Amino acid sequence: MVEDLVIGMAGSGGDGIVSAGESLISACAAMGYHAMMTKSFGSQIRGGESSCRVRMATGAVRNPGGTLDVAVALNWEDFLKFGAELPVGDDTLVLYEAKTGVAPDALPLDGVTPAEAVAVPIADMARTATGSDKGKSSVVLGLLAGWCGIGRDAILAGIRKKFAKKDERLVEANEKAFALGVQYAEAHPLATPRTIEPAVAGEPRMLTDGNDICAAAAIFAGCDFFSGYPITPSTEVMQLFTREIWKYGGAVLQAEDEIAGIGAALGASFGGKKAMTATSGPGMSLKTEIMGLASIAELPLVVVDVQRGGPSTGMPTKPEQSDVFQAIFSAHGDVVRPVLAPTCVSDTFEVTVEAFNIAEQFQTPVVVLSDQEIAQRKEVIEVIDTARFQVVERQRPDAAELARYERFRLTANGVSPVSHPGMQGGNYVGAGIEHDEHGDPTANGRVHQRMNEKRLHKLDPLRERDDLLRIEGDPSAPLALVSWGSTAGVCREALDLATAQGLRVKLLVPYLLYPVNERVYRGFFATVQAGLVVEQSYLGQLYRVLRMMVDVPAGLESFCRSGANPFRPAEIVRELQLRAGKESR
Amino acid sequence: MVEDLVIGMAGSGGDGIVSAGESLISACAAMGYHAMMTKSFGSQIRGGESSCRVRMATGAVRNPGGTLDVAVALNWEDFLKFGAELPVGDDTLVLYEAKTGVAPDALPLDGVTPAEAVAVPIADMARTATGSDKGKSSVVLGLLAGWCGIGRDAILAGIRKKFAKKDERLVEANEKAFALGVQYAEAHPLATPRTIEPAVAGEPRMLTDGNDICAAAAIFAGCDFFSGYPITPSTEVMQLFTREIWKYGGAVLQAEDEIAGIGAALGASFGGKKAMTATSGPGMSLKTEIMGLASIAELPLVVVDVQRGGPSTGMPTKPEQSDVFQAIFSAHGDVVRPVLAPTCVSDTFEVTVEAFNIAEQFQTPVVVLSDQEIAQRKEVIEVIDTARFQVVERQRPDAAELARYERFRLTANGVSPVSHPGMQGGNYVGAGIEHDEHGDPTANGRVHQRMNEKRLHKLDPLRERDDLLRIEGDPSAPLALVSWGSTAGVCREALDLATAQGLRVKLLVPYLLYPVNERVYRGFFATVQAGLVVEQSYLGQLYRVLRMMVDVPAGLESFCRSGANPFRPAEIVRELQLRAGKESR
Amino acid sequence: MSLPPNLTPQDFKSDLKPIWCPGCGDFGVLQAICRALAAIGRPPHEIAFISGIGCSSRIPGYTAAYGFNSVHGRALPIAQGLKLARPELLVLVAGGDGDGFSIGGGHVPHAVRRNDDLTYIVMDNQIYGLTKGQLSPTSPQGLHTVTSGYGSLESPVNPLLYVLAYGAPFVAQGTPADMPGLTAMIEEAIRFPGFAFVNVRSPCVTYGEADQQIKIHKTVMRRLEDLDHDPGNRIQALEKAETYGQALLTGIFYRNPAPRPTLGAVVRERQQQLMAGAAPRDRILDMFVQH
Amino acid sequence: MSLPPNLTPQDFKSDLKPIWCPGCGDFGVLQAICRALAAIGRPPHEIAFISGIGCSSRIPGYTAAYGFNSVHGRALPIAQGLKLARPELLVLVAGGDGDGFSIGGGHVPHAVRRNDDLTYIVMDNQIYGLTKGQLSPTSPQGLHTVTSGYGSLESPVNPLLYVLAYGAPFVAQGTPADMPGLTAMIEEAIRFPGFAFVNVRSPCVTYGEADQQIKIHKTVMRRLEDLDHDPGNRIQALEKAETYGQALLTGIFYRNPAPRPTLGAVVRERQQQLMAGAAPRDRILDMFVQH
Ligand SMILES: Cc1ncc(C[n+]2csc(CCOP(=O)(O)OP(=O)(O)O)c2C)c(N)n1
Ligand SMILES: Cc1ncc(C[n+]2csc(CCOP(=O)(O)OP(=O)(O)O)c2C)c(N)n1
Ligand code: SF4
Ligand code: SF4
Ligand SMILES: [Mg+2]
Ligand SMILES: [Mg+2]
């Protein structure tokens, strides 16, 4: 019995392989497993090839995993299109459509001989059960239930829920297809059993993805206004707002472009409301000017960038971590803009709430740097107790202050109480033009210097927020990993594996990428002789940003490559071992 | 007799103080002096206060200088508004309008007692000569001619040229006003003479500013198309194109915004023509997305950013060097974009030509990072011999290549010959979407990695271009300055002063800011124990970029502040001396 | 909340001295707006005045209201977000011809079709003032400027026709050469429920054309009311709008007799429907819980 | 230069297989364009096809011409720069309703008023296809989509009316439900000297509305030529354009009988005047020399 199972399935658009994955992961949630599901499609809008990976485990699941334990191919042409996304290895069980006519010992997997390969008459069973091949996905679920020992009732419940919307005959047909799959599995025991430990069904779980939970977190944090423009892979953030925000007396605007999107959000913030916009790289580029305006006008604003493959239009459906420079530096003039990054679906909630709190406390735009994988992968996670989170409001002027109000008063901490239209006595004119304490335009060099100082140093407390960076593993280890975003989930597993193999390793995961908490890094680096800064961008952007602010030990190298080339825990462990050798010599 | 004279004048809009400065600098050009003129105005579009500084010398003039040798105040209220821009010191000669009724020993200059102060009945003389106070500027020129020994004929010629356009009576009246000024000066010899060495009139000189010479350089380099949107302080670049480019069969488009501006320029480049756009910070922010498109589509394009005070609208008429991060990093995805910066009007020509050559050779957008001071100050410079400059054309496919053309073929050096519409056999579809060698869209991770590699490593030869960085002073000096843009001119003078004072100093001036020529910096840093990276931005942006790529000696500190707070040679020398102390200890 | 019983135009002026050139038409626009606001009587702190960048866009700074002198061309998006977030405010939007119809031109049709209750005042001087005299989208073809030394090659934008084509329910044109008329139409535009557009031919005395100055306007302007124009007739309005660039017609080109509800109104309706029985914010994650 | 004596539609197709959904209206648009180009007979390498981003904007990749599948909403600026730099090329521009009238909407009026010789084809499916079914600016009010679960609150853009108001000399509307009609109007648009706009109601079979599919178009479409419409009459054209959203009128709404010269033509004129006796490029600095 295993505790961790990685299943990958591929077929053509009509085969419903993705919906099979969805039934599977909701079954996992119901049974109390931890689970994670990623989808991948060809470039066709409809039809074409489609695939999904489901990783389920009795313990925490921190990334989609590496080589597949179970591979399901409804046809080989489509399966092979996914290459590295569905890697088959020596330990893999391969289930495939018998109709493909391929012999188990002649699978089209160059160089790899899987542990076991079983040709299954999936289409035939589907036809028997449903009279069409529409039932294939249910047959596959039956096979998995049978061979992997995943709770049948839970899967059946999922199937029922799905088809109930359509019609009753469909439900029965698919129940039949599922049953046939189960029977087939029972009739053909595996040479290499794949049964997973039963989960301790107990606590209810949440099932969601990074985009939905990001939008929900914003609403929890008090966001009343969203405005944005559709762009893959961020659009679901706006879509949730269009369903929910009205219920809280808020509003959402689908803008004519990204500039109007952030403009309207900034207008709402000028009006005293918490506001957000969400986009991906191309939209970030367009929002650059108004992000700068938000900084000098000192208005809170949360900007979500769900990173995808770049540059330019790049690869809209693939993950990459290459917007770090853009998020931090894309502004003319001297600007410091806080940038936060979640590492999984669950902490996307915390990070988003934190983003609103920082925006409000410091009257600044804040970027949440998510990525396509976190944003669009579904996870079964522990229920989040919102009571643990505190919500911060911007400091407003009191009566005394309003009596002689100066919007940009030079206070000790650089934060000036902010009024908004409707507040009597708080009248002021916001501007992107440099201004004095009262808000009047100026071209005076001394005032400019003082105002830059105010705007930049008000953020100093952020550099002290040690809770926004997490250090895991042996604190005095000579080997180190630094990683962020979705890649951090891979490094967390690599840390455990390497430690289990006797390496002395630690991992630093920054949730606040910028401004850089120099003290924490210095402390972390103190014991480091070798290691890796792991990120999915060709230029290794976070590594460069760290060099800017801190002295990075020579042995800590950038380990990076372009998006759509996901890191796997095993390879990171290998790299660590190489360096462990060096470091001990 | 002095060899170097810094004159500062201020009055109200109507006083024609700036046109006096212009007559003066064109006289300098005619007489063979080196000279530099900067202007400064209040925020009013018309009227309000206005001022100018003219620095003239028998030798090279590398910056506007520090404390004034001669200050001219037509009224004190306006003069004082310019504060640090017109600094009066103990050695200054102050000439001012007698009508102001201020006693020479009671000038409104807190703390400072100038070497000599003379109240002159400027307005009265003007009235006598012209019957109005329109003649004030000519009187002032007369006084300067008389007291500083600046060639009268040359100045008179300038005056004639200016008023000839209007009418003959005006010419006579202003000649008269000038004569009265001269007579007054002769009748009232100075206690502290200010006569300047006569210049060796010989070679003709050029008189222009950074924006005009930038546009002219582009046309010389073969630029056929300009498209942009007006923005201070860059608009004069477009304005010259609208006058000249038609003469070369080219065209200019005043676009509806900066996005259309760079878009149209990119379209022309796609068409095989050399193209340029120019803007300032806010426009750079808007051009971000299409700059990224130019990088992935591998099309040559020159983008001029005339920096001004930021962030956002900031201080449009003031210089700052705070767009370094933006110029280098504002793109989503992994992009490396060459960034060049001129240091004065004259080398703006070389830098602009180089920008076109680099753009063509490497099929990349290139940013020219000018600033308000260089762009709008007038300089008298040596005539530039265009024969010294070579013009590069993009590599085009030959017949063999066209027979089976692959637009993005992976060549050894990463540069693929580029066709353009009209070229038979070269047909391809450019795209911002990631693409294979043929140009077809792809979402394949391996192809993406290879294409990023191609686009980024094709620029490697730039990192070897030692000629794009200049090292001056004692190569083995323990004290160092690093500076760029207009500030480099200040550091060059500081280098000479410090050396004259016996300090062992050297100066590195990068014309290519990015990519970073690591070898040159390492070599330069090798002997450095202490020094300064001097730049006019609050964050010291170039210093941070250097840290990213090279190990910067601990003793080399960032010496920076916000724009509109110009550095003066003397203060840099002071800073060097402090460190010289340390470093010798 | 104690307010001066009745407000005077002076109550809507700030103490910041305008940096406009002496004689600039924008002084008149400022005056007309302050008079209209005084007549309407909302206190300054309940008014938000959003602008872009340009000489004209400086105007919020010269009023006592809340203001946002934002970035070039983006006043309308900012104003729409503000109005949606705070429907109770009186929101004015202003800027130049370049701000509104060049860089900002892409936002106008969408502001119009969303139809929130905004008043958009363009100070149309047919030139770029702040940047010292370049072509503007409304500059006449053939005009010689610092960016068109041989004459402009482009036929100009027609602000009135565009905004009518976008479906605006209220479209007017005025000039500071007729202060009572300008003040009246601005007041009516503000009172109009929905998107109201006022194109003010506000002369630039420094870079503007000689025939676009107050003195000339006084002689050439013609009031629509004197041309028995029916402001309720959209086709008539379109035809009259076609004269932009030839004639100077002032007054209300179009006022929709049966205006559709504003965006704010339909949003409020939707909120009221959906707010009943919604989970509180701290229970929003319940939607993800599996049982 | 040896060219196939006469070109067939096939000569204008690339070998890239379209990723469009089976049945997508864009297949028909591609076919119509290739037929029109074959009729015109310029070889593919003298044609440049510029688009933005969207399902529709993929179209240049499926032709054998030079193409630029640029970024969302910027096809027109890129095409204008290209055409000014290389007037000898045949330049086509295409994209979706979102590409052209949402994010790209600010560029349209300026492309029209500059009037260079471009043909702009919008594949108007009244939805965002590539991003999977959000509201588009031409989506009807009340439409339920993934971004308007309770129905859209905004009244739609009217592409025909907008572009006419901008002063376009050629405006037409077609549908792949009438291939001969669509092909003919695209050919005429390309041959027209000046800015020509063709709005193609190209159905999205995956996210589009049921009543916006080819089958329905066939039944509801009405040809302007059957309504004795005078394409030379601008006011008639404006009135007919007002029907966008209710009726589906196809054909040529407006064709200026006396079109003004194109931007390219006046630019060439200016160049010829000024090129005579200009200093060579290597003497351009002479303008700064003082004697
Ligand atoms: C993004 C951006 N582009 C350009 C500018 C420069 N700029 C400031 S105002 C202006 C246009 C001014 O013309 P208009 O909008 O008609 O206002 P006016 O000054 O005539 O009242 C321009 C181009 C800017 N500030 N920001
Ligand atoms: C700057 C930018 N914003 C948003 C997107 C995402 N995006 C791609 S296509 C598209 C709109 C598609 O609709 P349309 O233009 O009508 O074309 P269609 O797919 O319907 O043919 C959007 C919003 C993008 N690629 N770039
Ligand atoms: S430049 Fe023109 S628009 Fe600007 S303030 Fe002066 S007169 Fe008014
Ligand atoms: S989604 Fe719609 S527009 Fe896009 S290819 Fe499919 S049918 Fe065509
Ligand atoms: Mg204007
Ligand atoms: Mg569409």
Side-chain angles (χ1 to χ4, degrees), chain B residues 152-167:
Chain B
R152 303 173 185 190
D153 306 349
I155 298 182
L156 266 175
I159 292 179
R160 271 194 215 91
K161 206 182 316 140
K162 190 165 87 230
F163 292 102
K165 293 186 212 84
K166 300 177 184 163
D167 79 45

mmCIF file of all heavy atoms in Angstrom, chain B residues 152-167:
data_model
loop_
_atom_site.group_PDB
_atom_site.id
_atom_site.type_symbol
_atom_site.label_atom_id
_atom_site.label_comp_id
_atom_site.label_asym_id
_atom_site.label_seq_id
_atom_site.Cartn_x
_atom_site.Cartn_y
_atom_site.Cartn_z
ATOM 1 N N ARG B 152 32.465 92.174 -28.638
ATOM 2 C CA ARG B 152 31.260 92.976 -28.868
ATOM 3 C C ARG B 152 30.638 92.676 -30.224
ATOM 4 O O ARG B 152 29.417 92.554 -30.347
ATOM 5 C CB ARG B 152 31.617 94.462 -28.763
ATOM 6 C CG ARG B 152 32.222 94.760 -27.422
ATOM 7 C CD ARG B 152 32.758 96.163 -27.298
ATOM 8 N NE ARG B 152 33.416 96.258 -25.983
ATOM 9 C CZ ARG B 152 33.830 97.402 -25.453
ATOM 10 N NH1 ARG B 152 33.681 98.546 -26.105
ATOM 11 N NH2 ARG B 152 34.392 97.390 -24.270
ATOM 12 N N ASP B 153 31.482 92.598 -31.251
ATOM 13 C CA ASP B 153 30.924 92.407 -32.608
ATOM 14 C C ASP B 153 30.097 91.131 -32.661
ATOM 15 O O ASP B 153 29.005 91.107 -33.212
ATOM 16 C CB ASP B 153 32.057 92.337 -33.635
ATOM 17 C CG ASP B 153 32.965 93.555 -33.514
ATOM 18 O OD1 ASP B 153 32.554 94.493 -32.790
ATOM 19 O OD2 ASP B 153 34.069 93.547 -34.085
ATOM 20 N N ALA B 154 30.647 90.085 -32.046
ATOM 21 C CA ALA B 154 29.946 88.798 -32.083
ATOM 22 C C ALA B 154 28.563 88.929 -31.431
ATOM 23 O O ALA B 154 27.560 88.488 -31.968
ATOM 24 C CB ALA B 154 30.766 87.735 -31.362
ATOM 25 N N ILE B 155 28.544 89.596 -30.270
ATOM 26 C CA ILE B 155 27.254 89.745 -29.583
ATOM 27 C C ILE B 155 26.315 90.619 -30.417
ATOM 28 O O ILE B 155 25.152 90.283 -30.642
ATOM 29 C CB ILE B 155 27.451 90.367 -28.179
ATOM 30 C CG1 ILE B 155 28.306 89.443 -27.319
ATOM 31 C CG2 ILE B 155 26.095 90.609 -27.535
ATOM 32 C CD1 ILE B 155 28.522 89.941 -25.904
ATOM 33 N N LEU B 156 26.861 91.720 -30.933
ATOM 34 C CA LEU B 156 26.031 92.614 -31.757
ATOM 35 C C LEU B 156 25.452 91.843 -32.939
ATOM 36 O O LEU B 156 24.269 91.983 -33.273
ATOM 37 C CB LEU B 156 26.867 93.798 -32.252
ATOM 38 C CG LEU B 156 26.792 95.042 -31.375
ATOM 39 C CD1 LEU B 156 27.756 96.118 -31.876
ATOM 40 C CD2 LEU B 156 25.361 95.585 -31.357
ATOM 41 N N ALA B 157 26.278 91.005 -33.551
ATOM 42 C CA ALA B 157 25.804 90.207 -34.694
ATOM 43 C C ALA B 157 24.592 89.378 -34.269
ATOM 44 O O ALA B 157 23.575 89.326 -34.954
ATOM 45 C CB ALA B 157 26.924 89.301 -35.199
ATOM 46 N N GLY B 158 24.749 88.783 -33.057
ATOM 47 C CA GLY B 158 23.632 87.972 -32.551
ATOM 48 C C GLY B 158 22.383 88.812 -32.382
ATOM 49 O O GLY B 158 21.288 88.434 -32.813
ATOM 50 N N ILE B 159 22.553 89.971 -31.786
ATOM 51 C CA ILE B 159 21.401 90.857 -31.555
ATOM 52 C C ILE B 159 20.762 91.223 -32.887
ATOM 53 O O ILE B 159 19.553 91.102 -33.076
ATOM 54 C CB ILE B 159 21.855 92.142 -30.815
ATOM 55 C CG1 ILE B 159 22.282 91.800 -29.384
ATOM 56 C CG2 ILE B 159 20.746 93.181 -30.829
ATOM 57 C CD1 ILE B 159 22.765 92.981 -28.567
ATOM 58 N N ARG B 160 21.614 91.589 -33.853
ATOM 59 C CA ARG B 160 21.064 91.969 -35.172
ATOM 60 C C ARG B 160 20.263 90.809 -35.742
ATOM 61 O O ARG B 160 19.124 90.964 -36.149
ATOM 62 C CB ARG B 160 22.192 92.351 -36.130
ATOM 63 C CG ARG B 160 22.555 93.820 -36.054
ATOM 64 C CD ARG B 160 23.408 94.251 -37.223
ATOM 65 N NE ARG B 160 24.372 95.260 -36.778
ATOM 66 C CZ ARG B 160 25.580 94.979 -36.330
ATOM 67 N NH1 ARG B 160 25.989 93.716 -36.289
ATOM 68 N NH2 ARG B 160 26.383 95.943 -35.916
ATOM 69 N N LYS B 161 20.900 89.620 -35.717
ATOM 70 C CA LYS B 161 20.221 88.462 -36.325
ATOM 71 C C LYS B 161 18.826 88.302 -35.702
ATOM 72 O O LYS B 161 17.823 88.153 -36.375
ATOM 73 C CB LYS B 161 21.046 87.179 -36.120
ATOM 74 C CG LYS B 161 20.756 86.147 -37.231
ATOM 75 C CD LYS B 161 21.477 84.813 -37.098
ATOM 76 C CE LYS B 161 22.943 84.851 -36.715
ATOM 77 N NZ LYS B 161 23.282 83.770 -35.757
ATOM 78 N N LYS B 162 18.787 88.439 -34.352
ATOM 79 C CA LYS B 162 17.517 88.178 -33.673
ATOM 80 C C LYS B 162 16.442 89.177 -34.088
ATOM 81 O O LYS B 162 15.332 88.801 -34.463
ATOM 82 C CB LYS B 162 17.703 88.196 -32.157
ATOM 83 C CG LYS B 162 16.473 87.685 -31.417
ATOM 84 C CD LYS B 162 16.771 87.356 -29.967
ATOM 85 C CE LYS B 162 16.610 88.588 -29.102
ATOM 86 N NZ LYS B 162 17.766 88.807 -28.223
ATOM 87 N N PHE B 163 16.789 90.478 -34.072
ATOM 88 C CA PHE B 163 15.733 91.478 -34.296
ATOM 89 C C PHE B 163 15.482 91.760 -35.763
ATOM 90 O O PHE B 163 14.447 92.296 -36.138
ATOM 91 C CB PHE B 163 16.069 92.756 -33.532
ATOM 92 C CG PHE B 163 16.003 92.575 -32.046
ATOM 93 C CD1 PHE B 163 17.168 92.432 -31.297
ATOM 94 C CD2 PHE B 163 14.777 92.497 -31.399
ATOM 95 C CE1 PHE B 163 17.104 92.243 -29.923
ATOM 96 C CE2 PHE B 163 14.721 92.309 -30.030
ATOM 97 C CZ PHE B 163 15.886 92.182 -29.287
ATOM 98 N N ALA B 164 16.455 91.376 -36.617
ATOM 99 C CA ALA B 164 16.291 91.617 -38.055
ATOM 100 C C ALA B 164 14.965 91.023 -38.513
ATOM 101 O O ALA B 164 14.209 91.634 -39.263
ATOM 102 C CB ALA B 164 17.453 91.001 -38.819
ATOM 103 N N LYS B 165 14.676 89.797 -37.981
ATOM 104 C CA LYS B 165 13.401 89.148 -38.353
ATOM 105 C C LYS B 165 12.242 90.127 -38.126
ATOM 106 O O LYS B 165 11.310 90.195 -38.908
ATOM 107 C CB LYS B 165 13.188 87.883 -37.514
ATOM 108 C CG LYS B 165 14.189 86.774 -37.796
ATOM 109 C CD LYS B 165 13.816 85.505 -37.042
ATOM 110 C CE LYS B 165 15.042 84.690 -36.648
ATOM 111 N NZ LYS B 165 15.682 85.138 -35.380
ATOM 112 N N LYS B 166 12.305 90.879 -37.029
ATOM 113 C CA LYS B 166 11.180 91.759 -36.691
ATOM 114 C C LYS B 166 11.252 93.057 -37.512
ATOM 115 O O LYS B 166 10.821 93.080 -38.641
ATOM 116 C CB LYS B 166 11.159 92.008 -35.181
ATOM 117 C CG LYS B 166 11.011 90.666 -34.450
ATOM 118 C CD LYS B 166 11.048 90.768 -32.940
ATOM 119 C CE LYS B 166 10.987 89.384 -32.312
ATOM 120 N NZ LYS B 166 11.404 89.358 -30.911
ATOM 121 N N ASP B 167 11.867 94.112 -36.994
ATOM 122 C CA ASP B 167 12.005 95.270 -37.893
ATOM 123 C C ASP B 167 13.275 96.077 -37.609
ATOM 124 O O ASP B 167 13.917 95.932 -36.576
ATOM 125 C CB ASP B 167 10.741 96.148 -37.901
ATOM 126 C CG ASP B 167 10.658 97.060 -36.688
ATOM 127 O OD1 ASP B 167 11.669 97.688 -36.331
ATOM 128 O OD2 ASP B 167 9.563 97.109 -36.091
#
